[in-house]
Amino acid sequence: LFQWTDTERPIATITGVSGASLWTGDRGRMQKNLAIGTALGGGTIEGTAHDSWVELEFRDGSTATISGNSMLTFSENGQKQLRLKSGRLAANVQPQPSGKPMGIHTRTATLEVLGTRLDVQTDLASTTLNVNQGRVRATRISDGSSVEVPADHRLVAATDHQLAPFRVPKFVDHWTSRLGLGPRN
């Protein structure tokens, strides 16, 4: 019989996994060969190969997916806190309680997420945020500058970039032709 202590209570469940991955939990407990349905009580999840990915679903239905060589530490103590140490994160965040946004922390930025769809990529010197739906407040760590990033916008948080979101061009998803008019028309 396995019982969770209060510090290990499950806060997320693995809902998708592919490739090499590793979870490190309370007191350094490690688990390889992660499987769908595994409940996790916080800790660090790692994708350890370029083609690996792991999707977590939190109790409120929010999801977070890391891909490639990535490292994400996650916890919840009344408020979800994620620390993307390296790599890529895609998240679909359900509306969060008032005054308790999900926090996503990288080496160069802190993101406050109330409920949205976003993608984050980080390395040693920068964080790139793409907001697909909703809004995210981004704060650059180096100088404390802060800006709201609306849907369909991208932001690069780095010391050598202006902290200003810019619109992401729409993708072409259909086209038409009139080949019957000949090569000049």
Side-chain angles (χ1 to χ4, degrees), residues 19-41:
S21 56
L22 170 70
W23 173 70
T24 306
D26 192 33
R27 295 180 192 97
R29 183 171 37 131
M30 294 176 65
Q31 182 175 347
K32 294 181 180 181
N33 304 321
L34 302 175
I36 293 173
T38 302
L40 304 174

Side-chain angles (χ1 to χ4, degrees), residues 66 73 76 89-90 119 129 152 177:
I66 61 166
T73 299
E76 183 176 343
L89 168 72
D119 300 297
L129 166 68
D152 300 322
S177 68

Side-chain angles (χ1 to χ4, degrees), residues 147-165:
V147 65
E148 276 201 21
V149 184
D152 300 322
H153 282 73
R154 175 177 291 154
L155 175 82
V156 176
T159 56
D160 60 348
H161 279 79
Q162 179 182 3
L163 192 68

